[in-house]
């Protein structure tokens, strides 16, 4: 079952409309800052919808044969960003729930790919969280994020929070520009966030279908 079909099956009304409508295959792509929960929540959304889960960072590590922090240290951020764009292009060819890296939206080429994907039915979901939430979650995995910790000692909590605020300020507008749906993850259970994503995506698809139907009349 595709993500598109699975989401549609959440509504009885949609089940009736399904056979007569021929919309393109679509996916759900999660964007948002490091630590917002893209991978953990994405895996759960995919399980809920019974469709494949793709994690762009894991795909990059597989292609490169190195961990993300090693790619940054050995080849630099630009090489990582090129691999990230390639991984995004490959993933957008599939029907899946896709978790991206926090910096995906910083490249204009990627933002263009997201805009094109949104036009053909992919839901771009921004998982939003406050800097304090993000910094706390990032601190649980010290040394894993090269743009936070760098090659030296992992930063402490106040330093991490300052770095998060700085980077988030530069990225926030890009997340908002790319998103077709925004879901807050501060102080919320995974299950609540998953439910909001699934129902938000289904509602968006229902509106799109009504719009297409109205335009055919
Ligand atoms: C990055 C986020 C990371 C990873 C890389 C760069 C970023 O992914 O892609 O370290 O620029 O924000 P997560 O958002 O999954 O931590």
């Amino acid at each position: 079952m595709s993500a598109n079909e699975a989401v549609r099956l959440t509504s009885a009304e949609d089940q009736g409309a399904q056979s007569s409508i021929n919309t393109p295959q679509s996916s759900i792509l999660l964007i948002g800052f490091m630590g917002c929960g893209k991978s953990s929540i994405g895996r759960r959304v995919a399980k809920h919808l019974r469709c494949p889960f793709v994690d762009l960072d894991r795909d990059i590590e597989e292609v490169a044969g190195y961990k993300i922090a090693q790619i940054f240290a050995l080849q630099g951020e630009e090489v990582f960003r090129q691999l990230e764009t390639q991984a995004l292009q490959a993933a957008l060819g599939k029907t899946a729930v896709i978790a991206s890296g926090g910096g995906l939206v910083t490249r204009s080429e990627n933002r263009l790919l997201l805009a094109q994907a949104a036009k053909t039915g992919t839901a771009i979901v921004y998982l939003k969280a406050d800097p304090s939430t993000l910094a706390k979650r990032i601190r649980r995995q010290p040394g894993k994020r090269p743009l936070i910790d760098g090659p030296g000692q992992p930063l402490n909590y106040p330093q991490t929070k300052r770095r998060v605020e700085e980077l988030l300020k530069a990225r926030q507008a890009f997340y908002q520009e790319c998103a077709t749906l925004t879901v807050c993850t501060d102080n919320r259970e995974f299950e609540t966030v998953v439910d909001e994503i699934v129902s938000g995506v289904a509602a968006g698809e229902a509106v799109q279908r009504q719009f297409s139907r109205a335009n055919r009349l």
Side-chain angles (χ1 to χ4, degrees):
M1 181 186 296
S2 73
N4 206 21
E5 285 163 346
V7 168
R8 284 188 202 163
L9 288 176
T10 57
S11 149
E13 189 199 343
D14 287 349
Q15 285 183 40
Q18 208 173 319
S19 55
S20 60
I21 289 155
N22 185 22
T23 50
Q25 293 284 298
S26 65
S27 295
I28 298 176
L29 183 109
L30 303 178
I31 58 171
F33 202 84
M34 294 170 258
C36 70
K38 299 176 295 287
S39 300
S40 319
I41 291 167
R43 206 169 290 114
R44 284 171 170 81
V45 172
K47 195 171 169 205
H48 184 100
L49 298 175
R50 282 177 275 150
C51 76
F53 172 66
V54 175
D55 191 316
L56 295 189
D57 279 350
R58 299 297 79 75
D59 284 2
I60 294 167
E61 289 179 340
E62 217 164 274
V63 168
Y66 290 105
K67 293 278 174 205
I68 301 294
Q70 290 174 311
I71 302 172
F72 270 78
L74 299 172
Q75 296 178 293
E77 182 174 354
E78 187 46 36
V79 169
F80 170 79
R81 295 293 169 206
Q82 285 165 14
L83 293 169
E84 189 175 44
T85 298
Q86 285 165 20
L88 174 65
Q89 282 168 325
L92 287 175
K94 301 171 186 165
T95 294
V97 176
I98 306 162
S100 64
L104 186 87
V105 296
T106 58
R107 255 195 159 197
S108 58
E109 194 180 342
N110 297 343
R111 294 199 298 278
L112 202 63
L113 288 168
L114 297 193
Q116 283 163 354
K119 272 194 199 148
T120 54
T122 294
I124 315 286
V125 183
Y126 172 28
L127 297 183
K128 199 170 180 203
D130 287 337
S132 49
T133 307
L134 297 168
K136 272 182 223 148
R137 292 187 190 150
I138 289 169
R139 288 277 25 91
R140 285 185 209 139
Q141 297 171 308
K144 198 189 150 205
R145 277 137 174 146
L147 288 182
I148 298 288
D149 290 327
Q153 277 281 95
L155 305 182
N156 61 26
Y157 173 74
Q159 291 167 330
T160 304
K161 186 162 172 261
R162 264 200 303 280
R163 180 82 182 120
V164 169
E165 282 165 346
E166 214 175 83
L167 276 175
L168 189 58
K169 203 169 155 202
R171 294 176 172 185
Q172 184 89 275
F174 291 143
Y175 294 130
Q176 280 159 353
E177 171 197 318
C178 294
T180 57
L181 176 72
T182 297
V183 176
C184 180
T185 69
D186 288 310
N187 306 314
R188 299 180 84 193
E189 297 292 333
F190 281 142
E191 274 57 43
T192 316
V193 175
V194 169
D195 286 349
E196 194 171 325
I197 292 171
V198 172
S199 56
V201 169
E205 289 187 347
V207 169
Q208 265 186 0
R209 281 200 298 282
Q210 278 176 16
F211 182 75
S212 321
R213 218 175 296 161
N215 282 344
R216 273 203 297 271
L217 290 176

